[in-house]
Amino acid sequence: NAGVTQTPKFRVLKTGQSMTLLCAQDMNHEYMYWYRQDPGMGLRLIHYSVGEGTTAKGEVPDGYNVSRLKKQNFLLGLESAAPSQTSVYFCASSYSIGVGNTEAFFGQGTRLTVV
Amino acid sequence: EDQVTQSPEALRLQEGESSSLNCSYTVSGLRGLFWYRQDPGKGPEFLFTLYSAGEEKEKERLKATLTKKESFLHITAPKPEDSATYLCAGLGSASKIIFGSGTRLSIRP
């Protein structure tokens, strides 16, 4: 099992460029999450999904869009990158059906720099 | 609005010196309180889930406890390899997992 895989691992963008981050999980998890992590600020939730075809806003959704067309994939898009979006992005997934099994498992992160 | 607050921000201990990390939470309809460990340059690694007040879980030198408002991560006789950032998070009825800002733990030999 690969678990949660994020693509790419590193990327440098110019201001105004667009890109898509891909998260893939092979654990048949229902819930998927996108977070950003900045120094001293912990993990902040951008968007999340509770199932295929559904998405919802988290704590810091502005400037990002997401899609979950397939259960195993969760895409995070930046339409017009800004320097404030320089961060490390983490994807996570969890089973979260019924009682128990609610913990999320994380990918290794994507380090994005916007210049 | 769901909120998770961790203290202290940073903690430096001598090897063998036990201590506790605090996590205060206000999460509507708590479905799980999580502890993670994060090493530099890596994703968070799952440690524990606590579901109800009074619950305790242990793993090696770590023990997590839960009350109705707080969770504690107790570290007994820590070793240098326990140095990491420890993250607390809560899952509520809104299906969002909200994280605290973490405690950076450093263990000196």
Side-chain angles (χ1 to χ4, degrees), chain A residues 31 33 35 37 40 42-43 45 48 50 59 90 96 100-108, chain B residues 31-32 34 36 38 41-44 46 49 51 87 91 94-101:
Chain A
Y31 289 17
Y33 304 86
Y35 293 88
Q37 187 172 37
L43 288 156
L45 182 64
Y48 64 106
V50 299
E59 302 169 283
F90 287 102
S96 278
N101 297 314
T102 57
E103 60 271 10
F105 296 91
F106 282 78
Q108 287 303 297
Chain B
R31 294 170 54 201
F34 312 114
Y36 288 84
Q38 186 175 28
K42 296 192 174 183
F46 171 72
T49 304
Y51 292 103
L87 299 166
L91 169 66
S95 300
K96 296 185 286 188
I97 299 179
I98 302 299
F99 279 80
S101 56

Side-chain angles (χ1 to χ4, degrees), chain A residues 36-54:
Chain A
R36 61 178 288 172
Q37 187 172 37
D38 302 298
M41 299 192 73
L43 288 156
R44 291 185 291 169
L45 182 64
I46 305 171
H47 286 281
Y48 64 106
S49 168
V50 299
E52 181 179 318
T54 72

Side-chain angles (χ1 to χ4, degrees), chain A residues 46-68:
Chain A
I46 305 171
H47 286 281
Y48 64 106
S49 168
V50 299
E52 181 179 318
T54 72
T55 63
K57 294 181 180 180
E59 302 169 283
V60 289
D62 293 343
Y64 305 95
N65 57 75
V66 289
S67 65
R68 184 127 180 245

Side-chain angles (χ1 to χ4, degrees), chain B residues 60-95:
Chain B
E60 297 181 355
R61 295 175 292 280
L62 300 177
K63 183 170 80 172
T65 62
L66 183 66
T67 72
K68 288 187 177 180
K69 294 183 178 181
E70 294 177 302
S71 179
F72 296 92
L73 185 65
H74 307 279
I75 303 175
T76 302
K79 299 181 177 181
E81 53 262 41
D82 295 321
S83 297
T85 296
Y86 290 85
L87 299 166
C88 174
L91 169 66
S93 56
S95 300

Side-chain angles (χ1 to χ4, degrees), chain B residues 27-44:
Chain B
V27 175
S28 178
L30 186 74
R31 294 170 54 201
L33 188 291
F34 312 114
W35 283 97
Y36 288 84
R37 169 188 172 130
Q38 186 175 28
D39 293 301
K42 296 192 174 183

